[in-house]
Structures are given as structure tokens and as C-alpha cells.
Amino acid sequence: MLSSFLIQTLNGLASASLLFLVALGLSLIFGVTRIVNFAHGSLYMLGLYLATTLSQKLGGAFGFWGGALLAALIVGLVGAVIEIVILKHIYAAPELLQLITTFGIVLVIKDAALYFWGPDDILGPKAAGFTGAVVVLGKAVPTYDLVLIVLGPLFLALTWALLTRTRWGTAVRAATQDREMAAALGVNQAVLFTSVFALGSFLAGLSGALSMPREPANLTLDLSIIADVFVVAVVGGLGSIPGSYVAAIIVSVVKAWCIGIGDVTAGGVTLSFSKLTLVAEFIVMAVVLIWRPWGLFGAPPPVQRQTTLAATPLEALGTSDLRYLAPLGVLLVLIPILADQFTVVLATDIALFGLFAASLGLMMGAGGMASFGHAAYFGAGAYAAAILAKSSVPLLVAIPGGVAFAGLLAACFGWLCVRLSGVSLAMLTLALAQITWAVAFQWDTVTGGSNGLVGVWPPSWLASKRAYYAFSVLIASGAILAVWSLAHSPFGYALRATRDSPLRAAAVGIDTRRIQWIAFTLAGTFAGLAGALFVFSKGSLSPDSLSIPRSMDGLVMVLLGGVQTLMGPVVGAAVFIGLQDWIVRTTSYWQAVLGAAVILITMLFPRGIAGTVRALLGRRER
């Protein structure tokens, strides 16, 4: 038992070194540019793909190490190009819009990897000179794992020396503390940002390349590794390099211990720790953030008198908007009469995802609370409604049941989340959503596990696609109007007060935490309604409805449309769903085209489509 426990610990430490290299690059980039680079995991994946190819081309004893180094250098160059061509143009944009831009880069790199390497997993070579094993307490430990264990502290020491003993490192630390002051003192920010992004990308590519003996190159690595990296960066404290190293050890060793412990039976109840590996890192992050919101090595942020999201006030649904609601209503009525069945189904999806995006927009626009896990409530509402329907509960009862369950889940999660703010709040929503996804993914007897639920259809009076369109669009439209009304009710103004100036709001007697908790719960409830309606539209359901990509879809919709406009989330949903459908039917590399479109839209419409159009119309009216 002791030997197995030690072996798993050593394996966890080896994994921690690779994870730390990726997190180190992310911390450097965030510290200087303030960009939360969602594409960092894609650079890791690209490094692994390039290394497997280059090591085979080079061959011989030099193949592995030469291929790994060359792959990391190429990835560093790719990172520099990304920064120069795309990211340097959006440094002044809101942080969440920058995040969505890097999400577009993720889609482009994923399809580029699919084009060059295909959909199948690719195995890389073993590390030349370290293919054997040593015996520890009667168990064989790969020598390459021992090499990786040494690399972690080695890179930590090298980074410390680079940042503290070189002029470039001094400039990096100065920019991390105060970019404006660093520029005033003569630091060339353009060169500094590009070099930092190149170094961070190099480290991500190197980590991927060094992973060759441990895992095959595949197209799912980008999202799986970035989730772990975000956890490490937040648990350690954003921007803290020693914190990232400690957090990487904690996360990796905990996951390794879960594998080593396996199944434990006590009192007739079997607890499978091995299944916890899917969410072990998110459980760690949730515990740390609840206990210490700024991370293990981070510092408490200064109390803000005003939030950055208040730079552009939430716009009212004015007369200019109302002029467009009437023709929109006519269009909704004409669709089931004039359009074909495919268009009716697409319009149904747009309406339901418009509600999903509007619910998130209530949190982000009026409340100033970003959520990376909003799909948890969409999926919870869908699953609860589907389970009730399969238990022969009528649709008109199953849908409210799903909505109630989603609202209850949002109330429980919101009670924890509103104690935090900013990135910490967003990451806690991500952690709780991933835990919810893991439950749905593994609870075979109730949720169907990875296979999901099938045969969830509406009753005969709604069996027609046109009939269900009318039913769902009527409810979704009413719910969206309710969201808009909430935003401009006394509650909505109190919510905006907590967003714009929490200190002043508290001073005049507003219970800021209670207001935010109610808004969080309402947003989750409306998202649950969208999910409950959606499952009957499709007839089936899978754990993907709760996953990170679905949450990112919601964020993209809100930010594409405009977070500070009431129409924005609905417009963003229509553009995103319509664009995605058109591209999917046009090319097999639809993700790359969609990603490029997202990048282009965020660069052309920094306030979102609806926000930019409304601003232009406002200028003309003056």
C-alpha cells in the first residue's frame, strides 16, 4: 500500500512539472498583458503535435529532444504572430471580450491540427536515454518521470533568475505592477508584450512536447489542459509564479492519489475516488476560493469604488429599440407559415439560446458578474425536465419542474459565488459547473451517463415542429421580456448600483450580497427554462449541455451582441447560431471559419454588434 501510494505521488509530481510549465507561461502573459489567454491550451496541444512529427523526421537519439525543442520554438513563434496580428489590437477592449477573441483562436488552431494531422490520436516516441525504470520500494518508476520532477523546480529557479537578474525581467515586473508607469519610464510596451507572449507560448509548447511519452496527441487536449491551467493559476494566485508551482503540485498529486485510492467501501457504501479524477482539480479550486478568494499566494485586491464594467452604462430599451420589436414580432409569426421545417427548427434554437444568452446578460450587464459555468443551469433544467418526462410526468409539469430545479441549483451555487468577485467569481462558477457535469456524466442510473437520455419528445399536440416552435417561442419571448423588465425595475437599479459602486450602494442601505444572490438565482432560473424547452425540441440530451463549451457559447453570444445592451444577447445568439449553422453546412472545417468570424467580429465591434450599431444610430439621431 505504501509503495503504491509513493508511486502515485511521484507520478503526480511528474505531471505537476508539465502542468506548471503551461501555467507559468499563462501567468507571465496575464501578468504583463492582462489577457486571460484561453488559447494557451491550444498552444500546448500544438507543441505536442509538432513534436511527434518533428521527432520522427529527425530520428535517432537526437530525435526526441531535438523535436521537442524545435516544436517549442515554433510554438513560441506562432504565439508572437498571434500577439502581433490579433491581440495587440484589442488590449484596450474589455477583458471578457479579449477572452472571447482567444476562444476564436482556439477554434482556428483546433481545425488546423485536424487538417494537418487528422482526427486520430498520434503516439510520440519515448525519451531518448530515459526509456528505462528504477525500482522504488519494489515498484518500477519510469526514469523519465524523475527527469520531469526535476524540471519543475529547475524552471522555477530559471524564471526567478530571469525576472530578477536581467533588465528584461525588471521591465516585465514593472509592467506587471503598473503598465502606464513602465511606459512613462521608457519601456517599449509593444516589444515587451510580444516577447512575453512568445516566451509564454514557448513554455506551453515545450510542456506539450515533453508530454510525448505520457500521452498521445489528440484534438481534445486544448480544452482539457486549459481547464487545469486556469485552476492552477487561480488556486496559486493570478500572476504568482511560486503559487502556480505549489498549486500544480497540489492539483496533480490529489488527482494521482484519487487513482491510487480507487474504490473504498465503508458501511456498505462504495465511494469511487478514481471517478473523482474528472473533477478533483475543480473541487480543490472551489475549496480554495471559498476559503481564500485571491488564491494561496495571491494578495487581496484593493476595494473598488467603481467597477470597470460600469464604464458603459446598461442602456434602456428605448424608442429606437421598440421600432425594431414590431417587425421582429411579425417575422416570428411568419416563420412557421412561410419557412420550411429546417428553418423553423433553426428559429426555435435561436429563440431558446436567445433566452439562455439573455439570462447570462442579466448577470453580466446589470450585475457585473461574469460566469464561466452558466451552462450548469441550462443543463440542470434540461435534465430535470427530461427525467420527469421519462417518468410519465406531463410536459406542462415537467418543464416547470426543470425550471424549479435549475433555480434551486442556482440559488445554492449563487450563495457561494456572490461572496467573491471578478475572476474568482467566474472561476468558482466554472468549478461548480464542472462538478455538476461530472455528476451527470457518471450517474448512469439517473442521467444515462455519457450516453445521456433519449426519447424525450413533446406530446402529440406539440409533436409538429411548427407547433413546438410557436409554443417555445411564445414562452421564450415572454421570458426575455421579463428579463428586460427586471433590468429596469427597482430591483434592476439596485443591482446596477451594486455593480457600479458597491461601497456607495452599501452605504445607502442596499444589501449588495443579497441583491446579487437574487440576480444570480433568477439568471439560473431563466437559463433552466431555456434548457427545459430545448430538450423537448431535440428529443435527447447529453452531458455536453452542461460542459465548458456550452458555457463558452453563452459568453460568446452575450459579448458578440453587446453586454451593455438589452438587445445584445439576443442579437448575439441569432448571429452565433445562424453563423454556426451556415458554416457547418458549408465546410467540414467549420470551427476554423467560425473562430475566424468570432475574431473578426470582436475586432470590428468592440462594444458588441448591438452596442456598436446602437451607438452609430445614436450619433445619426443627434
Side-chain angles (χ1 to χ4, degrees):
M1 180 66 181
L2 178 61
S3 60
S4 298
F5 193 75
L6 177 61
I7 296 302
Q8 291 298 335
T9 301
L10 293 175
N11 181 60
L13 291 174
S15 299
S17 291
L18 293 174
L19 186 57
F20 168 64
L21 283 181
V22 193
L24 174 60
L26 184 71
S27 295
L28 288 172
I29 291 172
F30 176 80
V32 174
T33 67
R34 294 302 172 191
I35 284 184
V36 181
N37 182 21
F38 203 83
H40 207 63
S42 299
L43 299 174
Y44 169 92
M45 180 185 72
L46 184 60
L48 180 51
Y49 269 112
L50 286 170
T52 56
T53 299
L54 293 172
S55 60
Q56 293 170 1
K57 296 289 185 182
L58 294 174
F62 180 71
F64 177 88
W65 299 105
L69 181 58
L70 185 56
L73 290 172
I74 293 174
V75 173
L77 179 61
V78 170
V81 171
I82 290 173
E83 193 277 337
I84 293 171
V85 175
I86 299 174
L87 298 182
K88 81 172 186 178
H89 300 290
I90 60 169
Y91 284 134
E95 291 180 0
L96 284 175
L97 197 66
Q98 297 169 352
L99 178 72
I100 297 306
T101 304
T102 61
F103 178 69
I105 297 172
V106 169
L107 299 178
V108 173
I109 294 178
K110 183 185 286 289
D111 264 5
L114 175 63
Y115 177 80
F116 287 107
W117 287 282
D120 299 327
D121 292 3
I122 300 177
L123 294 173
K126 299 294 183 182
F130 298 95
T131 57
V134 296
V135 178
V136 178
L137 296 180
K139 299 284 187 178
V141 179
T143 54
Y144 187 66
D145 281 6
L146 301 179
V147 172
L148 292 179
I149 291 173
V150 174
L151 282 180
L154 176 62
F155 270 91
L156 178 62
L158 289 174
T159 304
W160 176 83
L162 179 66
L163 294 177
T164 59
R165 304 299 184 188
T166 65
R167 183 178 180 84
W168 181 85
T170 301
V172 169
R173 288 186 290 118
T176 301
Q177 295 295 323
D178 193 326
R179 286 192 299 183
E180 289 72 19
M181 182 61 70
L185 294 175
V187 175
N188 188 327
Q189 288 197 2
V191 174
L192 180 65
F193 285 13
T194 302
S195 62
V196 168
F197 210 94
L199 177 59
S201 302
F202 169 83
L203 291 171
L206 180 62
S207 178
L210 294 177
S211 300
M212 279 189 290
R214 296 172 62 87
E215 64 181 339
N218 64 81
L219 296 173
T220 64
L221 285 173
D222 50 358
L223 292 182
S224 62
I225 192 66
I226 195 60
D228 288 348
V229 172
F230 278 161
V231 168
V232 166
V234 171
V235 169
L238 280 172
S240 172
I241 292 174
S244 294
Y245 181 63
V246 173
I249 291 177
I250 293 173
V251 167
S252 299
V253 170
V254 166
K255 293 181 74 171
W257 283 352
C258 286
I259 296 174
I261 295 172
D263 295 342
V264 175
T265 302
V269 178
T270 300
L271 179 61
S272 178
F273 280 88
S274 57
K275 291 184 177 181
L276 290 178
T277 55
L278 288 174
V279 291
E281 64 268 46
F282 296 102
I283 294 175
V284 170
M285 181 170 69
V287 171
V288 170
L289 288 180
I290 293 171
W291 165 57
R292 191 176 171 85
W294 47 88
L296 297 176
F297 286 74
V303 177
Q304 293 184 333
R305 297 181 180 274
Q306 186 174 12
T307 66
T308 55
L309 285 176
T312 305
L314 182 69
E315 297 169 354
L317 191 66
T319 55
S320 60
D321 296 299
L322 294 174
R323 289 202 303 264
Y324 300 106
L325 288 182
L328 178 60
V330 173
L331 177 62
L332 292 176
V333 172
L334 291 178
I335 283 177
I337 299 174
L338 302 178
D340 57 22
Q341 183 165 294
F342 177 82
T343 303
V344 170
V345 172
L346 180 62
T348 304
D349 290 349
I350 290 174
L352 298 182
F353 279 106
L355 173 57
F356 175 57
S359 68
L360 180 57
L362 176 66
M363 280 183 59
M364 294 176 59
M369 298 178 289
S371 173
F372 291 172
H374 203 59
Y377 318 112
F378 179 90
Y383 265 106
I387 291 169
L388 289 172
K390 291 188 74 67
S391 301
S392 301
V393 175
L395 176 141
L396 294 180
V397 178
I399 289 178
V403 174
F405 180 75
L408 179 61
L409 186 69
C412 295
F413 286 177
W415 185 80
L416 296 172
C417 292
V418 298
R419 300 168 183 271
L420 312 179
S421 61
V423 175
S424 296
L425 184 151
M427 293 305 296
L428 183 55
T429 63
L430 174 65
L432 296 173
Q434 280 300 100
I435 294 171
T436 307
W437 168 84
V439 172
F441 188 82
Q442 298 183 94
W443 201 359
D444 295 345
T445 56
V446 176
T447 64
S450 58
N451 295 322
L453 299 173
V454 296
V456 187
W457 295 109
S460 57
W461 59 281
L462 288 176
S464 165
K465 295 297 182 183
R466 286 176 168 79
Y468 195 78
Y469 164 85
F471 174 78
S472 58
V473 167
L474 181 63
I475 295 176
S477 300
I480 291 172
L481 289 174
V483 171
W484 289 344
S485 299
L486 275 171
H488 286 282
S489 67
F491 168 79
Y493 285 108
L495 179 61
R496 272 179 275 170
T498 66
R499 176 202 67 182
D500 294 344
S501 186
L503 291 180
R504 291 179 181 176
V508 298
I510 296 176
D511 189 339
T512 57
R513 184 173 294 176
R514 178 175 173 272
I515 291 292
Q516 288 179 324
W517 179 51
I518 293 174
F520 197 107
T521 303
L522 289 173
T525 302
F526 283 115
L529 175 59
L533 291 169
F534 183 77
V535 68
F536 287 102
S537 171
K538 298 303 178 185
S540 62
L541 182 64
S542 74
D544 289 344
S545 62
L546 301 130
S547 63
I548 293 176
R550 180 54 52 85
S551 292
M552 290 305 301
D553 287 348
L555 275 173
V556 171
M557 293 172 195
V558 172
L559 294 171
L560 281 183
V563 69
Q564 296 297 347
T565 61
L566 291 171
M567 291 287 290
V570 180
V571 172
V575 171
F576 183 78
I577 297 298
L579 190 63
Q580 185 181 52
D581 175 77
W582 175 73
I583 295 172
V584 167
R585 290 185 285 114
T586 304
T587 174
S588 57
Y589 297 101
W590 63 271
Q591 292 184 104
V593 179
L594 180 62
V598 168
I599 294 170
L600 185 62
I601 291 173
T602 53
M603 294 177 69
L604 294 177
F605 303 98
R607 297 179 62 183
I609 296 173
T612 303
V613 170
R614 179 163 184 170
L616 292 174
L617 291 176
R619 291 174 187 172
R620 290 180 183 178
E621 290 176 359
R622 294 191 191 101

